[in-house]
Amino acid sequence: MADTDLLLRTADSAAAIGSAGPQLPANLEAEAAFLGAVLIDNKVIEELQTPLSPLHFHEPVHQRIFERVLKLLDRNSVATPVTLKPYFESDEAMKQLGGTTYLAQLTADGQGLLHPRELAEQIYSLALLRELVSVGRNLVEGALDTSDEVEPLKKIEQAEADLYRVAEGASTGSEAQTFRTAAFGALQVVQAAMNSGGRFSGKTTGLDTINEKTSGLHNSDLVILAGRPAMGKTSLATNIAFNAARRLMDDLRAGIEREKSPGAGVAFFSLEMSADQLATRILAEQAEISSEKLRSGRLSRDEFQRLSFASQELTDLPLYIDDTPALTIGALRTRARRLKRRHDIGLVIVDYLQLLQGSGRASDNRVNEISEISRGLKTLAKELHVPVVALSQLSRQVEQREDKRPQLSDLRESGSIEQDADMVWFIYRAEYYHNALKPDTPDETSSEDVRMKYAEWEARHLELVNKATLIVAKQRHGSTGNVPLLFHSEFTKFSSPDVRHYDDYE
């Protein structure tokens, strides 16, 4: 009888609140039956595949009952009507249902034990429908309200963000994790590192020296990759994007589950280069053909066959390139959510940060706008639970110093980039600056002094050629330092040297 009273009371309440429209989707009988099954056999919760939480129940009393059940089970206690009774003796809503005897009535017939999984799925599905109703209501109310500002694009971006949250099954009121849950996640990260041979635990960059220094690219991290022009920022970002996507493609073809692969589907937002230019770089790297030859079309038959083979081999590459110019940070986040939902991307790369635009409110102050953009990228990393690599320019003051190696103070336009980033990388090639000092090539008439200077320059050039250094200037979860790399300019390709430790190149 108490259960029936609850159904009637909730129906009357809903009708009184919104008699002009339909009631919110809910099944209180299913909620009661499921709770009864849990109180009879606590193992029902352990066998659930649906991520059910207290907020998925429509009736507040049921929310509190399920929340208390979870707390008891978390302490390895038994949840029964008897053990729950002390927690609800003063519950006013429970008194209206006949007091704590309602807990015993939930277990009276035990019908829920016949199909607890189906009941949980229905409770969860109806909760998502209620959230969808809430999103629609907020969208309508926001669109009708023009008292403050008329910003339709911003309202669309917010609506897409809300819809993404519903699609991911997130509740409108996100809950804090228990330490037990967080610790289990930490152990999974450690186990992933052990499975990789102790080399890295995050998404692979495809470059062993970087993986060893940073343990890979970690979910929810914002990585800033900065450097002066011609240092190879875009080349390194493209290499990382391809390596991660290629690893996932190869693992899936080998029958390895997506969750167990260190590879990732990649969303590459290129605000500077077109999609076909990036594809040309990748094909040049894989076919080992000079990108200049590709652009000019001066290819031999053998080179064209290698190019064709590389193109066919990479048809399933999970790399998605968005070359829309002048994106706002809000539009980028919307597009990234869409790619996450459709293709389950595991890595986002943005080339480059300074070409993004803010919401418009801070556009009169570039420093504030860059701060908004860097915060938005960090929020995106946490929201999608993927690493975000954003390329960034450096100020010209690097060129004015005798030591050309970048520093954190060189990050252009805002200190918030350094603050929001979990890692800051600088790409530095001493070869580039040394080549700018090249003296005239001596001939038969040159003096001994001229010959000596050229010989000294050439000897140093041979030490620096094709070598690069990735300076890890900030790493929230590890040490800073220099990472040796090799750069093959004709293929715009970075690789790791066989010798891991060599001196920094001045």
Side-chain angles (χ1 to χ4, degrees):
M1 182 63 185
D3 195 10
T4 304
D5 292 340
L6 174 60
L7 294 172
L8 292 174
R9 180 176 63 79
T10 306
D12 292 343
S13 175
I17 292 173
S19 57
Q23 299 178 13
L24 290 175
N27 187 343
L28 301 185
E29 290 179 330
E31 293 181 6
F34 176 76
L35 289 175
V38 170
L39 293 178
I40 295 173
D41 184 2
N42 293 169
K43 293 182 179 179
V44 165
I45 291 182
E46 298 177 4
E47 298 171 356
L48 285 183
Q49 297 179 346
T50 306
L52 209 58
S53 77
L55 290 174
H56 290 127
F57 290 80
H58 183 58
E59 167 55 42
V61 171
H62 291 166
Q63 291 181 5
R64 294 195 291 276
I65 292 174
F66 192 63
E67 182 179 19
R68 180 53 59 181
V69 167
L70 293 179
K71 288 182 178 179
L72 287 174
L73 296 181
D74 194 46
R75 299 201 302 259
N76 292 323
S77 300
V78 178
T80 68
V82 176
T83 58
L84 288 177
K85 182 177 179 181
Y87 301 103
F88 292 93
E89 288 180 335
S90 59
D91 191 301
E92 293 299 325
M94 184 78 76
K95 290 179 181 178
Q96 296 179 18
L97 301 174
T100 53
T101 56
Y102 177 67
L103 296 170
Q105 292 172 5
L106 289 174
T107 62
D109 56 14
Q111 290 294 318
L113 285 175
L114 299 177
H115 41 78
R117 291 185 180 180
E118 289 77 4
L119 290 173
E121 289 175 2
Q122 186 179 104
I123 293 168
Y124 181 79
S125 298
L126 292 173
L128 292 188
L129 288 177
R130 292 194 297 273
E131 283 205 48
L132 195 58
V133 171
S134 177
V135 170
R137 184 188 301 117
N138 292 337
L139 178 60
V140 171
E141 292 176 353
L144 292 175
D145 182 10
T146 59
S147 59
D148 186 14
E149 295 179 346
V150 180
E151 296 180 304
L153 292 180
K154 185 175 181 181
K155 295 183 187 300
I156 292 172
E157 291 168 5
Q158 181 60 48
E160 286 208 343
D162 293 339
L163 285 172
Y164 173 78
R165 187 184 62 243
V166 175
E168 290 295 297
S171 178
T172 51
S174 59
E175 298 179 286
Q177 290 188 25
T178 64
F179 181 76
R180 178 182 180 181
T181 303
F184 179 73
L187 288 176
Q188 287 182 313
V189 172
V190 174
Q191 186 176 21
M194 293 173 63
N195 292 340
S196 70
R199 293 181 293 126
F200 61 96
S201 56
K203 301 291 190 302
T204 183
T205 64
L207 298 163
D208 290 342
T209 47
I210 298 181
N211 285 342
E212 289 168 4
K213 182 65 177 177
T214 65
S215 294
L217 300 170
H218 296 273
N219 291 335
S220 303
D221 274 5
L222 172 60
V223 181
I224 299 296
L225 172 58
R228 288 295 294 157
M231 288 294 107
K233 297 189 300 296
T234 300
S235 297
L236 181 56
T238 305
N239 291 170
I240 291 173
F242 172 80
N243 293 337
R246 177 64 183 266
R247 178 62 184 269
L248 177 62
M249 181 183 73
D250 291 344
D251 285 349
L252 291 178
R253 287 176 175 176
I256 299 174
E257 297 177 11
R258 178 183 291 264
E259 294 74 17
K260 295 182 179 180
S261 171
V266 182
F268 197 115
F269 292 92
S270 178
L271 287 83
E272 188 175 34
M273 297 176 62
S274 65
D276 61 327
Q277 287 174 326
L278 282 174
T280 298
R281 284 195 174 202
I282 291 174
L283 290 175
E285 172 196 338
Q286 293 308 300
E288 295 190 345
I289 300 172
S290 168
S291 55
E292 293 181 2
K293 283 189 175 183
L294 285 182
R295 286 194 299 269
S296 64
R298 296 194 304 269
L299 299 179
S300 66
R301 183 175 297 275
D302 177 65
E303 288 173 331
F304 184 79
Q305 287 179 345
R306 295 208 311 268
L307 183 68
S308 178
F309 178 76
S311 177
Q312 293 174 10
E313 187 183 18
L314 302 177
T315 52
D316 297 328
L317 189 71
L319 174 57
Y320 309 95
I321 302 172
D322 188 327
D323 59 1
T324 307
L327 280 176
T328 64
I329 181 62
L332 183 143
R333 290 172 62 183
T334 297
R335 291 165 181 262
R337 292 188 201 103
R338 195 175 300 149
L339 286 168
K340 174 70 172 178
R341 185 171 66 249
R342 293 177 179 176
H343 303 292
D344 195 18
I345 58 170
L347 172 62
V348 174
I349 296 180
V350 181
D351 183 17
Y352 57 91
L353 185 151
Q354 280 81 10
L355 288 179
L356 285 171
Q357 299 178 11
S359 62
R361 297 179 180 178
S363 58
D364 57 332
N365 187 318
R366 185 57 177 167
V367 172
N368 290 342
E369 188 175 25
I370 292 295
S371 298
E372 177 192 357
I373 292 169
S374 66
R375 285 195 302 271
L377 292 173
K378 175 59 181 176
T379 301
L380 176 65
K382 294 185 68 176
E383 180 183 355
L384 300 189
H385 195 55
V386 301
V388 173
V389 178
L391 279 61
S392 176
Q393 289 182 335
L394 293 178
S395 65
R396 289 190 178 90
Q397 65 187 24
V398 175
E399 311 296 339
Q400 299 169 4
R401 295 195 305 262
E402 183 177 350
D403 184 358
K404 308 297 185 185
R405 286 174 299 182
Q407 304 169 3
L408 286 172
S409 58
D410 296 326
L411 284 171
R412 185 172 172 182
E413 292 176 312
S414 177
S416 67
I417 298 177
E418 175 188 348
Q419 176 182 329
D420 294 327
D422 296 279
M423 284 193 282
V424 177
W425 299 348
F426 296 123
I427 189 67
Y428 171 69
R429 292 194 301 117
E431 176 192 3
Y432 173 83
Y433 293 107
H434 184 68
N435 287 345
L437 303 175
K438 181 179 180 180
D440 293 334
T441 304
D443 54 25
E444 295 82 359
T445 63
S446 299
S447 66
E448 185 65 23
D449 184 54
V450 171
R451 293 176 183 274
M452 286 292 294
K453 285 184 178 180
Y454 185 83
E456 290 175 0
W457 178 90
E458 188 174 36
R460 182 62 173 158
H461 172 75
L462 293 175
E463 292 178 2
L464 299 178
V465 67
N466 291 339
K467 292 179 180 176
T469 301
L470 184 77
I471 303 171
V472 180
K474 176 184 177 182
Q475 185 171 196
R476 202 183 299 276
H477 311 298
S479 62
T480 59
N482 298 326
V483 177
L485 293 172
L486 297 177
F487 181 59
H488 313 278
S489 58
E490 64 273 27
F491 308 136
T492 63
K493 179 179 181 179
F494 283 88
S495 63
S496 294
D498 294 332
V499 179
R500 290 288 187 264
H501 305 289
Y502 54 76
D503 294 335
D504 188 26
Y505 301 108
E506 302 295 339

